[in-house]
Amino acid sequence: MSYRFPVDAHERVVKDLWMDIVEGKSGLWDGIGEDKKECIRGEFSFTEVVLSADLMSSLFGPFPDPLITPRP
């Protein structure tokens, strides 16, 4: 799968296109088997979570990771 978002598109349009891909609604999924689609969507969903956490950290400071941060 090779796709590039439109360079001249408004940020909101690109975000909507991205969410359509992540949610499995985009026509880019046509012809891709359901098992492969769900596997790839899982990676996209993970990327979405990581990017959201990264954005939140850049805006509000780092959040401790409860799996890594030792408890007192």
Side-chain angles (χ1 to χ4, degrees):
M1 178 188 273
S2 177
Y3 177 76
R4 292 183 183 261
F5 292 104
V7 176
D8 57 348
H10 188 272
E11 182 179 344
R12 182 76 249 161
V13 171
V14 173
K15 285 182 180 180
D16 289 343
L17 289 170
W18 169 249
M19 290 311 300
D20 284 347
I21 294 169
V22 172
E23 294 170 358
K25 299 176 185 176
S26 172
L28 294 172
W29 293 112
D30 294 348
I32 297 177
E34 199 63 30
D35 56 339
K36 289 181 183 178
K37 175 181 170 181
E38 291 307 313
C39 183
I40 296 168
R41 282 189 59 235
E43 290 296 321
F44 287 161
S45 294
F46 176 75
T47 301
E48 179 68 23
V49 169
V50 170
L51 291 175
S52 295
D54 204 32
L55 175 62
M56 294 300 286
S57 290
S58 68
L59 293 175
F60 302 109
F63 295 99
D65 186 336
L67 300 175
I68 298 173
T69 305
R71 294 183 180 178

